[in-house]
Each structure stands twice: as C-alpha cells, then as structure tokens.
Amino acid sequence: MFTFFPTLFRRGRVAIALAGLALLTGCDFNFWRMDGHQSTIVVDGPVARAQLEVFYVTCWVTLFIFIIVGAVLAYASLKFRARSDADEHAEPPPQGHGNPLVELGLIGGSVLALVIIAVPTLKAIWFTYDIPAEEKANAYEITAVGYQWWFRFEYPGEQATIDATTKMPLVTGNELVIPAGRPVRINLRTFDVIHSLWIPKLAGKVDMIPNRANFLWLKADKPGYYWGQCAEYCGDSHAVMRFRVVALGPREFNAWLDQQLQPARTLVPRPADTSRPRPQFAALRSFRQNESGVTEKFDVDPLESWRAKQAPEKDENAELVAQGRSLFTTKACITCHTVRGHAGAGVTGPDLTHVGSRSTIGAGLLENNREQLQRWLHDPGAVKPGNKMAKGYVDSKITLTAEDEVALVAYLESLK
Ligand code: HEC
Ligand SMILES: [Cu+2]
C-alpha cells in the first residue's frame, strides 16, 4: 500500500512532463519538421548536407549501441532481480572474471563502430574543407569581416564606382548576396575579436580569428533567403549579431551587382505613386508581441519581400530626402559610415550606399522599414546593447530631433 503511492506519484510526474512537452510542441508543426530558419536538419546546400550525413551516421551508430547495451542491462536486471525476501538476503550469484571471447568481441565491436563513423567523417572533412577541383573554375570569391556586432562583406572581384575617376572593391554589410548554384569561397577576417560565420542551412561555422586567414566554402542549391548568425561569443551583443544570405540565380545576381556597383542614388523628383502597396515583411504592426522587432513570421515569402526592397519606395519625398542627406553630414554620421558618391569615408560602421535595398538593419536584428529605422536612429543602444553607434552618439554628442529622424529615415530609405 505505502510503496504503491510513490510509484504512482513518479509515474504521474513523467506523464505530466510528457503532456507538457506535447502541449508546448504539439501545436508547432515546425518543431517536428525541424525546419526552423537556422535548421541544420533541413538543409539547402552540399556542404551542410555532407555535415548532416556525418551527424546521422553518428546518431545511428550510437542508437544501435544504446539499444544493445540497454537490452543487455534490462535482461540482466529482470533475470537476476530479487523475487522474494529470501532472495534479498541470499549470497550474490557466482561472479565471472575475464572471458576472452566477450572481451575480444567488445574490442572488435568498438573498433568497427569507430571505423563506421570515421570513414564518412574523413570524407566529409576533405569535401567541406575546399571547393572540389572540378568546380574551382566556377567559384565566386567574397571576403567576410566580423566587427563587434555586425558583418562587412567585400567583393574583391567587383569594382564599384565612387565618382567618374575612382573605383573601389564593392563593400556591403549584413546581407550577403551570393550566386545560387555556384560554389562560393568566403575569406574569413575580423576587425577586432574572434567571431564565427555560420549559415546553418548552407554550411557549418568557421571562426574569424585575428591574424589568421581562415576561409570556408558553400553552395546554395537554389535561390533563397537564409538566416546567419555569429557563432563565437564576442561581447555584449553577440546573441544579436546576425546576418542574412540571399542566393540569386545568375541573371538576378548580375542585376543586383550592377545596382550595387553604382554610387548612391540621387533622387529625381517625381509624382508619388499611390497604386497598390508592394509586399512587406510582417511589420511590428501585425506582429507586436515580438518586442525586439524581429520578424519570424512573414506575410509573404521572405525572398519576395527582399526583391520588393530593391525598387524605390513609392512615396519618396525629394525634399525630405535632400534634408536627410545634409543631416547625414552635419550630424557626424559620416565619421563612421560611407555613402559612396555622396559623403563619408567612415569604415567603422556598415557601408550605407545601398542600405535601402537591404531587408534588415542592425545586423539582421530589425526589419528595414520606416518604423524600425527611426527606432534605431532614435536610440541604437536601447535596441542593441553596447553597440558602437550608441557609443558614437555619446562621444560625438549627436542629438536628433523627431524631424531630423524622419528626414534621415527618408534619406536612408532612398538609398536603393
Ligand atoms: C561612432 C560611429 C557611428 C556613428 C557616428 C553613426 N553610426 Fe550608424 N552604425 C555604426 C555601427 C558600428 C553600426 C553597426 C551596429 C551594429 O549592428 O552592431 C551602425 C549601424 C547603422 C545603421 C544600420 C545599418 C545596417 O546595415 O545594419 C544605420 C542605418 C546607421 N547606422 C545610420 C546612422 C546614421 C543616420 C547616423 C548619424 C545620425 C549614424 N549611423 C551614426 C556606427 C556609427
Ligand atoms: Cu561575433
């Protein structure tokens, strides 16, 4: 009677825990599909796929070992359990010492298990290390530089226009646009501390280490919009040091390059377009519960939203944009930022030449729209703890009125 209750209690606890887990996850289809934005299980490229295969092999081998050992343990505990009071006080059964057959079998089994894991692991290490020889000629090269707490992307093969006589390699920030279906070699550098570049659906993480020329390669199977993350603790805002990867087909990639290579856009006044609004990410308006302004659910396909971001806003106000452009210089934004062709040669903040065409700001933290841009300019430190722009506001005594913010936002949005 008294031994019965604790058992029931224990079983009850397990049942409650299981029911809780089912409740927590049951409604979330994605949990069972394991297809989150940063899934390593549902992947979209050969490098991530090779790494996933090693994971599966290891899982199956360990599951096999678990079942064998568990079965032997269950058999022994059941067969030799105490069945009566007398059993409990009886001598232990005869003990065995050393059985060559069993011992050799266990050694052989362990070696076999290790070989089964080692062969695909070594193959994957070789494959993921560098682009296969036959694909090298088709490779595209990009340099990624980690900063506390954002990423700079450089395209060494593309010469971007500054003015009629000067060019420089193309630099973008926080949004890595790559050609789909082509191997991409990414040189990994850092401006300050150790960071790590990780795009879970495309490739495993590799560190960006000071004074060490690391690199990784990856390939996206098809055009898509991917989530990336710094994967090495690097200070205050490490957890929100994110970025996006946009993979585009050849024609679209070239069109994107053409646009990015242009110097910053100067607005030509034109009548406002009042036709149907174009697709947007689900903004704070429709997704309020997400305090940080990060959008996880979308009204439309994220790649489509990104595409929509490439075209000029429909209600551009040339006067406001011009006002924002001059504030950009007078409010010291140019000390850290560059708008190629307009003003500034700052390199400690992201290049803003085409910031209006990116889908996020603050290194993948906020959706790039009017509300979030203003929120960022108003108090960057409140959005992203410790970030260097917030420090710059204090050091350079930058203060913005609400009108300044609106004008600056209009200017930034015009930079397509
Ligand atoms: C002290 C240097 C500094 C100053 C001054 C500064 N910024 Fe920044 N800015 C940064 C840094 C650093 C980041 C990246 C912050 C992060 O994501 O961690 C940034 C990010 C941004 C972004 C988001 C870009 C992106 O791709 O995520 C915008 C927009 C921006 N700044 C606009 C401005 C404007 C407008 C001003 C002037 C009012 C300004 N900044 C002044 C350093 C500065
Ligand atoms: Cu980092």
Side-chain angles (χ1 to χ4, degrees):
M1 178 76 187
F2 289 108
T3 54
F4 178 69
F5 275 115
T7 321
L8 188 72
F9 179 61
R10 248 176 272 134
R11 280 201 198 133
R13 261 197 316 200
V14 172
I16 290 170
L18 283 178
L21 189 69
L23 259 180
L24 275 176
T25 61
C27 326
D28 187 355
F29 183 57
N30 270 340
F31 179 86
W32 298 109
R33 246 183 359 167
M34 298 199 195
D35 186 17
H37 296 321
Q38 300 194 170
S39 172
T40 53
I41 305 289
V42 180
V43 296
D44 271 335
V47 174
R49 207 170 298 120
Q51 288 157 340
L52 178 62
E53 273 158 23
V54 172
F55 171 75
Y56 275 143
V57 169
T58 316
C59 272
W60 288 123
V61 169
T62 40
L63 183 69
F64 177 75
I65 295 173
F66 174 77
I67 289 171
I68 300 283
V69 174
V72 172
L73 182 68
Y75 172 79
S77 343
L78 286 174
K79 178 149 165 90
F80 299 110
R81 75 187 189 278
R83 279 163 229 257
S84 62
D85 270 1
D87 272 0
E88 278 190 41
H89 302 292
E91 288 294 311
Q95 305 289 302
H97 293 282
N99 179 330
L101 211 63
V102 171
E103 281 168 16
L104 283 176
L106 286 178
I107 293 172
S110 313
V111 170
L112 186 70
L114 285 181
V115 170
I116 292 176
I117 293 177
V119 171
T121 303
L122 288 173
K123 262 174 63 186
I125 288 176
W126 260 288
F127 176 73
T128 58
Y129 177 67
D130 203 355
I131 303 172
E134 65 275 16
E135 287 199 82
K136 274 231 162 91
N138 192 25
Y140 192 79
E141 189 175 343
I142 296 172
T143 299
V145 188
Y147 283 66
Q148 281 176 318
W149 294 278
W150 60 280
F151 292 93
R152 182 161 70 106
F153 299 114
E154 240 180 69
Y155 293 68
E158 315 294 345
Q159 290 297 311
T161 307
I162 302 176
D163 56 42
T165 51
T166 12
K167 288 185 183 273
M168 62 179 268
L170 175 62
V171 173
T172 69
N174 298 326
E175 229 161 66
L176 174 60
V177 180
I178 59 170
R182 268 176 83 176
V184 179
R185 183 192 152 107
I186 305 181
N187 305 311
L188 301 169
R189 305 287 183 268
T190 171
F191 181 75
D192 36 50
V193 300
I194 302 181
H195 301 277
S196 180
L197 193 87
W198 190 27
I199 309 138
K201 278 180 172 255
L202 297 181
K205 50 191 103 160
V206 178
D207 280 5
M208 310 166 119
I209 302 173
N211 299 322
R212 182 170 170 162
N214 267 356
F215 69 95
L216 65 78
W217 81 277
L218 52 79
K219 183 156 105 179
D221 292 333
K222 53 181 184 343
Y225 185 93
Y226 301 100
W227 274 251
Q229 167 88 48
C230 174
E232 177 73 43
Y233 179 70
C234 57
D236 291 26
S237 267
H238 159 70
V240 285
M241 180 171 168
R242 304 174 189 165
F243 62 104
R244 301 288 194 271
V245 177
V246 181
L248 301 174
R251 197 176 312 176
E252 205 180 359
F253 181 71
N254 285 335
W256 174 82
L257 266 182
D258 283 347
Q259 183 185 337
Q260 297 288 314
L261 295 179
Q262 299 297 317
R265 188 168 153 255
T266 301
L267 219 63
V268 186
R270 65 192 168 94
D273 182 344
T274 50
S275 58
R276 205 162 62 88
R278 55 202 171 76
Q280 273 220 342
F281 286 95
L284 256 200
R285 261 169 273 114
S286 53
F287 205 65
R288 268 193 193 284
Q289 60 269 55
N290 198 334
E291 238 306 291
S292 67
V294 186
T295 309
E296 299 296 346
K297 300 199 170 150
F298 298 95
D299 293 339
V300 288
D301 173 23
L303 185 58
E304 283 308 318
S305 308
W306 180 88
R307 285 183 173 129
K309 228 37 220 154
Q310 306 310 300
E313 303 295 322
K314 287 190 161 168
D315 52 355
E316 287 181 320
N317 177 337
E319 205 175 305
L320 203 58
V321 169
Q323 197 184 326
R325 180 171 169 180
S326 84
L327 282 168
F328 193 76
T329 306
T330 55
K331 290 292 177 183
C333 315
I334 48 167
T335 51
C336 303
H337 294 290
T338 302
V339 176
R340 191 169 18 93
H342 280 187
V347 290
T348 50
D351 186 292
L352 299 179
T353 311
H354 296 280
V355 67
S357 68
R358 305 210 272 262
S359 56
T360 65
I361 52 163
L365 177 60
L366 302 177
E367 182 187 335
N368 186 8
N369 61 31
R370 224 156 271 182
E371 293 145 281
Q372 303 296 350
L373 267 171
Q374 186 165 358
R375 188 171 161 209
W376 175 261
L377 294 186
H378 183 70
D379 189 358
V383 179
K384 193 166 180 177
N387 87 73
K388 309 279 176 179
M389 176 156 152
K391 190 174 174 303
Y393 267 41
V394 178
D395 293 350
S396 315
K397 301 193 176 58
I398 298 178
T399 47
L400 302 174
T401 63
E403 291 93 274
D404 292 346
E405 286 168 14
V406 170
L408 276 167
V409 167
Y411 173 56
L412 293 169
E413 279 201 312
S414 78
L415 298 173
K416 294 292 178 180

